[in-house]
């Protein structure tokens, strides 16, 4: 391991050391690390392999300032070296659904994927099928946080923002739905330790 190679955390350590961090070390993201975080997040599972999630990575200071304004002034947006906007684009998924069929399934797989998605979602309103797509993107959002932490980076999931303004800033179509904004960087503070319900409080065993 070289001085520039991040320590890779195992999944247990990544989960246990993850914190919501709002103040970051003021240095640019290592672009190789950033791409690896996105690659790992893209391995998240999704029903029918739909992969409805999309990532908009914002590192430009001026655009981050606009996003901060859209997020009601929350300072972590401009304090972090990068902000990943995670959204779902179900309409793009439907338009290109053959791409999600596994190559091992051949042409029959591509045809079957088209038939399945047209049959299930074709008659649904855009907003309704968009909600299904968002449920898939939320899985990738969780993977993204763990991938970042696993490579030694920190994040804070954000749901407090004006979706219409974010769409306008990023030039996204009206139908996309947002899983959240995710500032990413190296922590400049430790943040609060976990305060969670016990497993017994949250769980029913049958």
């Amino acid at each position: 391991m070289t001085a520039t190679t991040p320590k890779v955390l195992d999944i247990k350590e990544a989960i246990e050391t993850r914190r919501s961090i709002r103040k970051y070390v003021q240095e640019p993201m290592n672009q190789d690390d950033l791409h690896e975080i996105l690659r790992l997040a893209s391995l998240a599972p999704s029903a029918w392999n739909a992969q409805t999630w999309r990532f908009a990575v914002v590192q430009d200071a001026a655009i981050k300032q606009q996003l901060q304004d859209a997020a009601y002034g929350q300072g972590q947006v401009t304090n972090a070296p990068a902000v990943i906007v995670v959204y779902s684009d179900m309409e793009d998924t439907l338009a290109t659904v053959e791409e999600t069929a596994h190559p091992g399934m051949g042409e029959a797989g591509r045809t079957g994927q088209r038939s399945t998605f047209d049959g299930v979602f074709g008659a649904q309103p855009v907003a309704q099928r968009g909600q299904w797509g968002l449920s898939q993107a939320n899985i990738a959002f969780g993977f993204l946080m763990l991938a970042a932490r696993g490579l030694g980076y920190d994040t804070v999931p954000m749901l407090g923002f004006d979706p219409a303004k974010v769409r306008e800033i990023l030039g996204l179509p009206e139908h996309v739905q947002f899983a959240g904004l995710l500032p990413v960087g190296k922590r400049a503070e430790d943040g609060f330790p976990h305060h969670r319900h016990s497993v017994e409080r949250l769980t029913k065993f049958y």
Side-chain angles (χ1 to χ4, degrees):
M1 180 180 293
T2 68
T4 58
T5 302
K7 176 190 176 186
V8 178
L9 308 183
D10 65 34
I11 189 65
K12 181 176 184 293
E13 188 177 3
I15 291 172
E16 291 180 341
T17 63
R18 195 213 65 80
R19 300 287 187 270
S20 290
I21 300 298
R22 293 172 174 81
K23 291 184 180 179
Y24 297 87
V25 174
Q26 297 302 293
E27 63 183 21
M29 281 282 295
N30 178 295
Q31 297 302 293
D32 290 338
D33 290 349
L34 179 58
H35 279 81
E36 180 66 357
I37 289 167
L38 294 165
R39 186 190 73 82
L40 291 170
S42 74
L43 297 177
S46 62
W48 288 312
N49 200 36
Q51 303 168 72
T52 62
W53 50 76
R54 304 291 183 268
F55 307 122
V57 181
V58 180
Q59 299 177 88
D60 180 85
I63 301 177
K64 283 196 296 181
Q65 182 60 63
Q66 293 179 62
L67 286 179
Q68 180 174 312
D69 294 342
Y72 314 115
Q74 296 181 76
Q76 61 264 33
V77 177
T78 53
N79 191 262
V83 178
I84 303 174
V85 182
V86 183
Y87 63 97
S88 169
D89 192 338
M90 188 63 178
E91 297 310 295
D92 180 52
T93 298
L94 287 174
T96 60
V97 72
E98 288 87 355
E99 296 176 2
T100 66
H102 195 282
M105 299 174 69
E107 191 58 35
R110 292 170 60 86
T111 301
Q113 194 81 327
R114 168 57 63 191
S115 176
T116 295
F117 275 74
D118 285 350
V120 173
F121 300 109
Q124 289 184 1
V126 170
Q128 181 181 349
R129 63 197 185 204
Q131 276 294 306
W132 185 89
L134 180 60
S135 72
Q136 308 304 302
N138 286 331
I139 300 171
F141 194 62
F143 268 57
L144 191 62
M145 285 185 279
L146 289 181
R149 186 66 199 128
L151 289 180
Y153 290 88
D154 297 287
T155 60
V156 56
M158 296 179 60
L159 299 177
F161 56 90
D162 184 328
K165 288 183 178 178
V166 174
R167 288 190 193 96
E168 180 181 359
I169 292 164
L170 300 179
L172 298 175
E174 180 66 26
H175 62 259
V176 305
Q177 300 195 31
F178 294 101
L181 310 185
L182 194 70
V184 182
K186 297 286 184 69
R187 67 178 69 179
E189 62 179 12
D190 284 336
F192 288 109
H194 292 138
H195 174 64
R196 298 292 192 270
H197 289 306
S198 68
V199 171
E200 290 72 24
R201 170 72 173 80
L202 297 172
T203 310
K204 293 183 184 298
F205 292 95
Y206 295 89

